Amino acid sequence: MGARRSMLALAARAALLLGAGAAAAQDGDQRAAYLAGTCAACHAGANAAQAIPGLRGRDSEAFVAAIHDYRSGQRKSQIMAAVAASLSDEEIALLARYFATLGKAGGAQ
């Protein structure tokens, strides 16, 4: 139960961080980088041991589809459902473009 509580607390903090300062970074690239900082807490690299995929170089359409699936409940993850619910469609699109432009982990930047 402790691990579940910790994961839910992390999801709540992520949701707060996503909303708290997003308005401060108005430029699209800056805002995307700001939002991506929260994602990096879990997705900084491929973490196969915990089934957490890396996001660098991810196809933007696949990213958008996955976030919408978490939001709708089609994909199951309490943390990702909370994060997806906290993102606007505009923020999802910003993140999708941002991650797509990054080189894959271990590859070109």
Side-chain angles (χ1 to χ4, degrees):
M1 190 69 171
R4 182 175 178 200
R5 181 172 286 148
S6 294
M7 296 300 273
L8 289 174
L10 176 62
R13 282 190 296 250
L16 288 173
L17 286 173
L18 286 171
Q26 294 301 313
D27 180 67
D29 290 340
Q30 289 178 343
R31 188 170 178 204
Y34 172 81
L35 292 169
T38 300
C39 303
C42 298
H43 295 274
N47 191 343
Q50 295 182 9
I52 300 173
L55 297 175
R56 298 172 63 91
R58 172 135 340 230
D59 177 75
S60 61
E61 290 180 20
F63 179 88
V64 170
I67 298 301
H68 284 278
D69 286 349
Y70 284 118
R71 188 191 284 174
S72 72
Q74 190 171 355
R75 282 192 181 195
K76 304 295 182 200
S77 168
Q78 289 179 330
I79 291 172
M80 286 306 303
V83 171
S86 72
L87 294 169
S88 69
D89 288 339
E90 176 191 2
E91 291 168 332
I92 293 169
L94 282 172
L95 284 167
R97 284 190 301 269
Y98 178 80
F99 287 125
T101 63
L102 297 178
K104 292 206 181 273
Q109 296 293 317

